[in-house]
Amino acid sequence: MVLIATNVCDYKELAKQKLPRMVYDYYALGAEDQHTVRENMEAFSRIQFRPRVLIDVSHIDMSTSVLGYNISMPIMVAPTALHKMAHPEGELASARAAASVGTITTLSSWSSYSIEEVNSAGPGTRFFQLSVYKDRNLVRQVIGRAEKASYKAIVLTVDVPWLGRREADVKNRFALPPNVVLKNFEGVDFGNIEKVVNGSGFAASYDACQVDPSLSWKDIKWLQTITSLPILMKRILTAEDTRLAIESGVAGIIVSNHGGRQLDHAPATISCLEEVVREAKGRVPVFLDGGIRRGTDVFKALALGASGVFVNRPAVLFALAVDGEAGVRNTLQMLKNELEVAMALSGCTSLKEITRGHVTTEGDRIRRSML
């Protein structure tokens, strides 16, 4: 029986049949026992709707703006590495798909096509994900290239001072396929990157050898001296770090746990969202990354205070593996369509009408039961 993809998760099953196990596991699995990978999704199921009725929902407007850039929906593409392992056109196809549905894509430093090649793929608003490397001249160079190629923001990943234990990569003896290179660092001599470090596998060992484990809050100020691009800080989970991030002058915060690929048993991102939003107090936008599988998940994140969400592996990499650019475009459109239905059935005609009162969390229900 041929499975027809009718939702994002269908693409995961189709990709599992198509991709080599080494590649599928690299994309799909996380750190150690996969607890956080599972919890990222399961936590959404514990949030319920409080829909309103008898509201004219004949017209639904899902458009919004992020850092001043207008997009068709509050769903953007998160940075993920090595798209070319999924499809020969890799990040080129993903970027075109995002642009075709009117949203933002974020290019990973670990992309299999270069900053310049993706910029040449066609029109579109793009952000660039940055890890801070020990070689600060290299950091200056990649930021300069992103600026020159008209990327609009830096998404700074701050949760990889050490690499999480991604045991599937070790078991599979993960290695880059012959046709895939880390294009943004082509020609850069990083020494012996084939040594397995910390039980994290080939790809992780490369990053572990180069990412600066001494990165601290003072370095955020340094980054601001070498770029005029706004900085979104990715992987904030607590009020304490939210406060420090805002004091450091970031333009926005992305609540993320690296898709469960770093610290296993970190909480689900949706479980941390309200804490971060409360501390941000509207001073900077807060976005959510992790666990989004349905348009209803997007609605729940918006109701809990997110300004938008970023999606990655199931909506992008698996769809890319199954049907290239068309697959990614289809999954993004699926999520948009599902969000539209959720808004209509909840009585919301625009994003600003989605409020905290439209959802109830497990904590809400416990507090009510104690009254």
Side-chain angles (χ1 to χ4, degrees), residues 1 14 16 20 46 51 74 131 153 181 221 304 317 352 354-355:
M1 180 178 177
L14 290 167
K16 189 173 185 178
R46 297 192 290 272
S131 297
V181 297
K221 293 293 186 183
L304 294 178
L317 292 173
K352 67 181 180 181
I354 301 174
T355 69

Side-chain angles (χ1 to χ4, degrees), residues 181-209:
V181 297
L182 299 167
K183 203 63 172 168
N184 287 319
F185 305 109
E186 197 172 25
V188 177
D189 181 11
F190 283 130
N192 181 16
I193 64 175
E194 295 186 6
K195 181 181 177 182
V196 174
V197 175
N198 261 356
S200 297
F202 173 91
S205 73
Y206 175 93
D207 209 23
C209 288

Side-chain angles (χ1 to χ4, degrees), residues 40-79:
N40 267 350
M41 293 177 287
E42 292 170 3
F44 275 102
S45 69
R46 297 192 290 272
I47 302 170
Q48 298 174 353
F49 286 104
R50 298 183 68 250
R52 303 296 304 276
V53 298
L54 293 178
I55 296 169
D56 181 358
V57 291
S58 54
H59 176 70
I60 306 292
D61 180 12
M62 289 177 284
S63 64
T64 188
S65 66
V66 173
L67 302 181
Y69 298 99
N70 295 328
I71 54 178
S72 68
M73 58 181 173
I75 304 167
M76 297 162 282
V77 174

Side-chain angles (χ1 to χ4, degrees), residues 24-296:
Y24 176 82
D25 285 354
Y26 175 78
Y27 285 155
L29 301 182
E32 297 184 348
D33 298 319
Q34 320 291 319
H35 173 85
T36 299
V37 173
R38 294 188 296 272
E39 181 64 7
N40 267 350
M41 293 177 287
E42 292 170 3
F44 275 102
S45 69
R46 297 192 290 272
I47 302 170
Q48 298 174 353
F49 286 104
R50 298 183 68 250
R52 303 296 304 276
V53 298
L54 293 178
I55 296 169
D56 181 358
V57 291
S58 54
H59 176 70
I60 306 292
D61 180 12
M62 289 177 284
S63 64
T64 188
S65 66
V66 173
L67 302 181
Y69 298 99
N70 295 328
I71 54 178
S72 68
M73 58 181 173
I75 304 167
M76 297 162 282
V77 174
T80 46
L82 301 169
H83 289 207
K84 197 173 181 181
M85 293 198 304
H87 188 275
E89 292 193 337
E91 291 85 359
L92 304 179
S94 303
R96 288 195 297 261
S100 72
V101 297
T103 195
I104 293 166
T105 190
T106 311
L107 183 69
S108 169
S109 292
W110 270 41
S111 55
S112 39
Y113 282 92
S114 71
I115 293 167
E116 295 80 8
E117 288 170 326
V118 174
N119 182 56
S120 299
T125 303
R126 301 182 182 104
F127 295 167
F128 179 70
Q129 178 272 329
L130 176 73
S131 297
V132 176
Y133 291 87
K134 296 172 185 176
D135 183 346
R136 296 304 172 89
N137 285 328
L138 180 61
V139 175
R140 290 177 185 270
Q141 289 171 21
V142 293
I143 288 177
R145 289 168 58 191
E147 290 176 333
K148 187 176 180 180
S150 298
Y151 287 70
K152 304 303 183 185
I154 298 295
V155 174
L156 178 65
T157 298
V158 294
D159 66 335
V160 284
W162 286 52
L163 263 292
R165 290 181 54 86
R166 303 172 193 176
E167 295 172 1
D169 290 350
V170 180
K171 291 176 181 177
N172 292 332
R173 294 184 167 273
F174 180 86
L176 290 179
N179 65 326
V180 178
V181 297
L182 299 167
K183 203 63 172 168
N184 287 319
F185 305 109
E186 197 172 25
V188 177
D189 181 11
F190 283 130
N192 181 16
I193 64 175
E194 295 186 6
K195 181 181 177 182
V196 174
V197 175
N198 261 356
S200 297
F202 173 91
S205 73
Y206 175 93
D207 209 23
C209 288
Q210 304 308 323
V211 170
D212 190 350
S214 72
L215 183 70
S216 65
W217 291 103
K218 70 180 187 306
D219 295 302
I220 310 305
K221 293 293 186 183
W222 171 76
L223 280 173
Q224 292 166 338
T225 68
I226 66 170
T227 182
S228 60
L229 292 178
I231 296 173
L232 298 177
M233 187 171 287
K234 182 175 183 283
R235 207 286 197 179
I236 298 294
L237 295 173
T238 65
E240 295 90 334
D241 282 345
T242 300
R243 183 171 60 254
L244 290 170
I246 293 172
E247 289 172 356
S248 297
V250 301
I253 288 170
I254 302 175
V255 178
S256 171
N257 55 29
H258 217 107
R261 294 164 68 82
Q262 280 294 94
L263 179 63
D264 198 22
H265 292 272
T269 54
I270 192 66
S271 301
C272 301
L273 178 59
E274 279 199 286
E275 177 180 339
V276 173
V277 168
R278 279 195 297 267
E279 183 61 36
K281 300 182 178 73
R283 290 172 289 177
V284 298
V286 175
F287 305 96
L288 182 92
D289 172 41
I292 300 289
R293 299 295 184 272
R294 287 281 190 178
T296 48

Side-chain angles (χ1 to χ4, degrees), residues 46-48 360-370:
R46 297 192 290 272
I47 302 170
Q48 298 174 353
T360 176
T361 65
E362 195 170 36
D364 295 336
R365 295 189 289 276
I366 291 172
R367 284 189 290 273
R368 281 201 298 271
S369 70
M370 297 174 66

Side-chain angles (χ1 to χ4, degrees), residues 306-318:
S307 295
V309 304
F310 286 85
V311 297
N312 44 54
R313 284 177 283 180
V316 180
L317 292 173
F318 295 142

